[in-house]
Amino acid sequence: MSESLHEWLSGAYRAAVERNPERRDAFRRSSGDPLQPLYADLNGRTDTLGFPGEFPFTRGIQPTMYRGRLWTMRQYAGQGDAETSNERYRFLLDQGQTGLSVAFDLPTQIGYDSDHLMATGEVGKVGVAIDSIEDMRTLFREIPLDKVTTSMTINSTASILLALYIAVGEEQGVERSQLGGTVQNDILKEYVARGTYIYPPGPSIRLITDIFDFCAREVPRWNTISVSGYHMREAGCTAAQEVGFTLAHAIGYIEAALAAGQEFDRIGQQVSFFFACHSNFLEEVAKFRAARRLWARITRDRFHSNNPRAQTLRFHTQTGGATLTAQQPDNNVIRTTLQALAAVFGGTQSLHTNSLDEALGLPSQHAVEVALRTQQIVAFESGAADVVDPLGGSFYVEELTDAIEAEAAQYIDKIDALGGAVTAIEASYQQREITDAAYKLQMEYEKEAEAAKGTAQPGAVGRVKVGVNRFITNEESDAEIVRVDPAVGARQSERLERFRAARDGDAAQAAVDRIQQAAAGTENLMPFIIEAVKAQVTLGEIADSLRTVWGEQREAVVV
């Protein structure tokens, strides 16, 4: 054992174990021989590797990592109305899920109530419909918000959903300072790759920095943003682009917050990230390690951070939805398992594993259970969680880590040269890069399909997709396809009508007026939005009040 490893084990690692004892699981080989917490020969790479829990955090953000506590198993779920989704959440918690992840329907994401003309045919389809505090109350019925952390995949209306969550928590008797969870709250990737934006970039980023400031003061356990590479990766970008664009967007948010008078070491502790994990196993492991190291260096060198908590890149991972296939859907279990294992080897803090049938429709309860069991088998049977950074020191993994970090840094430099993340988006830089990468990938799949038919050009190099362009069968899938009850929209509209009729209309209108006055000025909007949801103003009414002041963003055409 090297002297540096001995010092780390007897110092930082021992102190971490004394603070939080390791799991009761036996960390042993099949022979019974004990496993060391960490295997480390730094080979002079102290500056790039270091030790877990220490700058630059290449090997993990905690000294004990999963020996101390497993990642949060957080299955993304939500469909139909609040009552239906509540049943799914309670089922998942009963099956051993350790955190909630809420999917919202499209009208909720873009600020329309379920009875709005724009919501027609979309209510409850891709997530749960949330129109009011009544819906939010139902969504978390019999779920104690002081014991469960909740991630909410919401962006344009993140401030409203956070306000609703705070209000329901207080109804349960949970102080806002005790609430734990995350709002995605990342609008820049919406302009780049997804499209559920409402307002122009300026006021959208103001909403985000208002959440930063408000939560730093009043909701300290809440992750105020989950800067997301996932959707850009799903749109077709490379692993290095995913890291580079995500961190460039994070820089944009931080610089906006600093311009508003906030301090990085105060707000940076509540910044988190969200990445995809695709099937190139070792590249994905290296990607996560590179992202962690690059962010640590950015926080130290660019934002002059002295706070280790603010320097750490904490991230959630979702296995790759774009990698799933409708053909031979059982193969998706293997893809998801590989991706989950890569995320664990890469040091994720929480994980969602996709269900085998998601290329066909909403996941069935059986498929969701298999996806959750996949995480549990990785955690308790594979041995992957028994050693910290088990692939660290691999010549190939370290070379990949260095390469991805360098390439990602070049993308950040390019975005800086263009004037920052917002300016680059307005120039369609990220959009064009992603489009080009997606086109190249698709061409590789098509070349392989041509090769399988014997029609490929000489020297053409393709990429294999099992069951799609090679190893094809003509068997019909017997997977259950889940469909949302088409009557859910009518039921939501009826509830809304009763809800509005029963409330104090004058109090609701006064709350809306105060939001508009604040939006026209510079006050933090979060207290006004919380006041409004408690006054039973609906999500759509709050979003419309801001539309009146700020207008709406229109889609830019990428050429």
Side-chain angles (χ1 to χ4, degrees):
M1 182 185 297
S2 68
E3 183 177 346
S4 59
L5 176 57
H6 176 76
E7 289 178 356
W8 179 80
L9 288 169
S10 60
Y13 184 80
R14 181 177 178 181
V17 172
E18 288 175 350
R19 287 193 303 271
N20 296 293
E22 291 184 339
R23 294 183 288 119
R24 292 178 298 162
D25 303 53
F27 305 118
R28 297 181 181 278
R29 294 174 50 214
S30 58
S31 64
D33 292 342
L35 295 168
Q36 294 182 36
L38 180 72
Y39 293 82
D41 183 354
L42 300 181
N43 292 323
R45 294 173 59 112
T46 305
D47 59 328
T48 58
L49 286 182
F51 287 101
E54 298 178 2
F55 191 94
F57 307 103
T58 312
R59 306 204 67 183
I61 67 169
Q62 300 290 346
T64 58
M65 286 302 289
Y66 307 133
R67 287 171 68 109
R69 191 181 78 174
L70 292 170
W71 61 93
T72 302
M73 299 181 191
R74 195 186 298 280
Q75 292 299 115
Y76 182 53
Q79 63 192 66
D81 58 17
E83 186 170 0
T84 302
S85 295
N86 173 264
E87 291 173 1
R88 175 62 63 89
Y89 297 156
R90 287 191 284 123
F91 167 78
L92 287 168
L93 291 170
D94 288 344
Q95 297 304 312
Q97 178 172 294
T98 53
L100 296 176
S101 182
V102 182
F104 296 97
D105 73 353
L106 189 58
T108 303
Q109 292 180 49
I110 56 177
Y112 292 115
D113 287 333
S114 295
D115 60 354
H116 195 284
L117 182 63
M118 290 291 289
T120 304
E122 291 294 340
V123 176
K125 287 291 181 64
V126 298
V128 60
I130 298 295
D131 296 315
S132 69
I133 192 169
E134 181 179 67
D135 288 332
M136 203 70 161
R137 196 179 292 132
T138 301
L139 188 66
F140 293 103
R141 188 180 64 240
E142 298 180 29
I143 297 174
L145 299 188
D146 56 341
K147 295 182 172 61
V148 172
T149 61
T150 301
S151 174
M152 295 190 285
T153 302
I154 198 70
N155 298 283
S156 295
T157 55
S159 57
I160 306 171
L161 271 300
L162 177 57
L164 286 165
Y165 195 85
I166 289 169
V168 169
E170 290 176 350
E171 287 182 354
Q172 289 189 6
V174 183
E175 296 291 334
R176 57 185 67 171
S177 62
Q178 298 304 307
L179 293 172
T182 305
V183 276
Q184 191 166 101
N185 201 27
D186 174 8
I187 203 64
L188 293 181
K189 64 91 173 53
E190 297 295 326
Y191 300 126
V192 170
R194 191 161 177 268
T196 64
Y197 46 77
I198 302 174
Y199 317 111
S204 293
I205 291 176
R206 174 191 167 181
L207 277 173
I208 291 168
T209 57
D210 278 358
I211 291 174
F212 285 2
D213 181 59
F214 176 80
C215 288
R217 289 183 284 106
E218 300 199 31
V219 201
R221 295 181 58 209
W222 198 264
N223 294 321
T224 55
I225 194 168
S226 181
V227 192
S228 303
Y230 182 88
H231 309 85
M232 293 183 284
R233 190 67 185 280
E234 291 290 278
C237 76
T238 67
Q241 287 173 338
E242 182 184 6
V243 174
F245 296 160
T246 303
L247 299 193
H249 293 174
I251 289 168
Y253 295 126
I254 296 300
E255 289 181 340
L258 297 180
Q262 299 173 34
E263 298 176 3
F264 176 76
D265 275 348
R266 179 167 169 261
I267 62 170
Q269 301 176 69
Q270 293 173 272
V271 171
S272 63
F273 293 83
F274 174 26
F275 293 110
C277 194
H278 283 200
S279 296
N280 190 327
F281 183 84
L282 294 174
E283 182 181 54
E284 294 299 302
V285 174
K287 178 188 76 179
F288 298 129
R289 300 170 86 250
R292 200 159 41 234
R293 185 164 69 205
L294 184 54
W295 182 244
R297 289 173 171 170
I298 289 168
T299 60
R300 181 193 64 185
D301 300 339
R302 188 165 187 151
F303 299 125
H304 311 295
S305 173
N306 294 309
N307 185 336
R309 170 76 176 175
Q311 295 171 343
T312 56
L313 185 144
R314 297 170 298 112
F315 68 98
H316 170 72
T317 307
Q318 181 173 338
T319 58
T323 69
L324 303 179
T325 63
Q327 301 93 325
Q328 303 177 23
D330 288 348
N331 294 344
N332 294 330
V333 176
I334 293 92
R335 293 186 177 100
T336 296
T337 302
L338 280 171
Q339 294 163 9
L341 193 58
V344 170
F345 278 146
T348 192
Q349 277 60 68
S350 71
L351 178 61
H352 163 90
T353 36
N354 288 328
S355 300
L356 66 94
D357 53 2
E358 288 190 52
L360 300 167
L362 291 170
S364 66
Q365 183 163 297
H366 170 71
V368 167
E369 185 175 351
V370 171
L372 178 58
R373 294 288 181 257
T374 300
Q375 292 203 48
Q376 292 164 339
I377 290 168
V378 170
F380 297 106
E381 296 186 25
S382 72
D386 294 353
V387 173
V388 180
D389 190 29
L391 294 183
S394 156
F395 293 118
Y396 181 48
V397 169
E398 298 303 348
E399 195 75 27
L400 276 175
T401 302
D402 292 347
I404 291 172
E405 181 186 12
E407 192 175 343
Q410 290 176 356
Y411 282 114
I412 293 171
D413 290 344
K414 174 66 174 178
I415 289 170
D416 282 342
L418 290 170
V422 174
T423 304
I425 289 168
E426 291 172 343
S428 298
Y429 170 68
Q430 294 96 313
Q431 297 94 310
R432 283 197 301 271
E433 290 289 312
I434 294 170
T435 299
D436 289 347
Y439 178 79
K440 179 181 178 182
L441 178 63
Q442 184 60 34
M443 289 301 98
E444 290 177 356
Y445 286 136
E446 294 190 13
K447 286 176 184 176
E448 179 59 35
E450 291 169 357
K453 297 175 183 176
T455 60
Q457 296 294 319
V461 177
R463 188 184 296 263
V464 174
K465 192 75 169 179
V466 173
V468 177
N469 60 13
R470 196 187 290 186
F471 313 114
I472 302 167
T473 61
N474 294 319
E475 297 176 6
E476 291 289 329
S477 170
D478 60 357
E480 174 190 0
I481 298 179
V482 176
R483 304 188 190 280
V484 173
D485 181 356
V488 68
R491 291 200 300 269
Q492 279 294 109
S493 295
E494 290 168 4
R495 288 192 191 103
L496 268 172
E497 185 177 359
R498 293 193 300 269
F499 179 80
R500 293 195 186 103
R503 72 186 179 184
D504 183 336
D506 291 339
Q509 184 58 52
V512 167
D513 292 343
R514 285 190 286 273
I515 287 175
Q516 290 183 314
Q517 292 166 9
T522 59
E523 291 182 89
N524 191 305
L525 283 162
M526 279 304 300
F528 297 98
I529 296 172
I530 293 171
E531 176 190 24
V533 301
K534 288 182 176 180
Q536 301 187 322
V537 181
T538 68
L539 175 139
E541 290 166 342
I542 295 171
D544 281 345
S545 72
L546 296 174
R547 283 185 177 94
T548 301
V549 179
W550 294 335
E552 292 186 276
Q553 175 74 357
R554 297 301 176 190
E555 183 176 5
V557 177
V558 179
V559 294

